[in-house]
Amino acid sequence: MGLFGKLFDKKECSICGGEIGLLGNKKLEDGNLCKECAKKLSPWFDDRRHSTVEQIAAQLEYREANKEKVAAFSTTRIFGESTKIMLDEDHGVFMVATTRNYAEENPDVIAFSDVTGVDLDIDEDRTEITRTNAEGEEISYNPPRYLYEYDFYVTIFVRNPYFDDIRFKLNNSSVRIEDNGNLNRGMNRNMGMGMSKGGFTINFGGMSNMNNRMEPESNVDFREYKAMGEEIKA
């Protein structure tokens, strides 16, 4: 009875003082946080559970001040699709947004000078394409055929009191390349499970034969996203 009594006890948000509904509590190290206050935190912040009420209150002050920076932001360049990195080169700042309503989303405005590094990771997944024989069995083509799917991730490392990095995907949907067994080949055969090439990293997934594989840069979409990632780094 005592356990269920605690479960249904009304809780109060340690930040705004509002009542927290059932299953709506976001625990802090020394208090409670309601959903509405939690929504105001930076989307790149992931240490809420180990933060104190004082630390969360300080971040919400920072986030409130950030609204003025968003309002003053003047976009000069944009990269990405659903998630966009926007540059204000005149003021030396950038922000990463996932919606078109910047005022409501309140994306963190970061100075170029607070960037400590940028990584471009290209995740690869490979699936064998098979065919059905006369007996109704799934069999491999000869030579084998594969479907490759690529996703392009940018990680921006920053100096910020509430998060260390911003990671987002450049492409909406995976770049799909079908290898019919005759596409360009020729990557180094001693690559292990990842390869650094031209300032980016390809992370291989589901691959068994590293010595005989297609060259993804033969695909125009692959080249465009890779070039976009490299331009962001520059």
Side-chain angles (χ1 to χ4, degrees), residues 12-24:
E12 184 179 283
C13 177
S14 303
I15 299 297
C16 70
E19 184 178 312
I20 300 175
L22 183 64
L23 304 179

Side-chain angles (χ1 to χ4, degrees), residues 13-62:
C13 177
S14 303
I15 299 297
C16 70
E19 184 178 312
I20 300 175
L22 183 64
L23 304 179
N25 187 33
K26 307 294 183 182
K27 285 292 295 177
L28 302 178
E29 189 172 286
D30 59 351
N32 302 300
L33 190 68
C34 69
K35 286 183 177 180
E36 292 307 310
C37 287
K39 288 178 183 177
K40 299 176 183 178
L41 297 172
S42 170
W44 315 112
F45 174 68
D46 60 4
D47 199 28
R48 181 261 309 162
R49 183 65 181 82
H50 298 99
S51 297
T52 64
V53 172
E54 183 179 0
Q55 290 169 330
I56 292 298
Q59 182 180 164
L60 291 177
E61 287 183 10
Y62 149 81

Side-chain angles (χ1 to χ4, degrees), residues 17 23 29 37 42 57 73 83 93 106 114 162 214 220 227 232-233:
L23 304 179
E29 189 172 286
C37 287
S42 170
F73 197 93
T83 300
V93 294
N106 191 25
D114 285 330
Y162 305 109
M214 57 148 290
V220 63
I232 291 171
K233 291 184 66 172

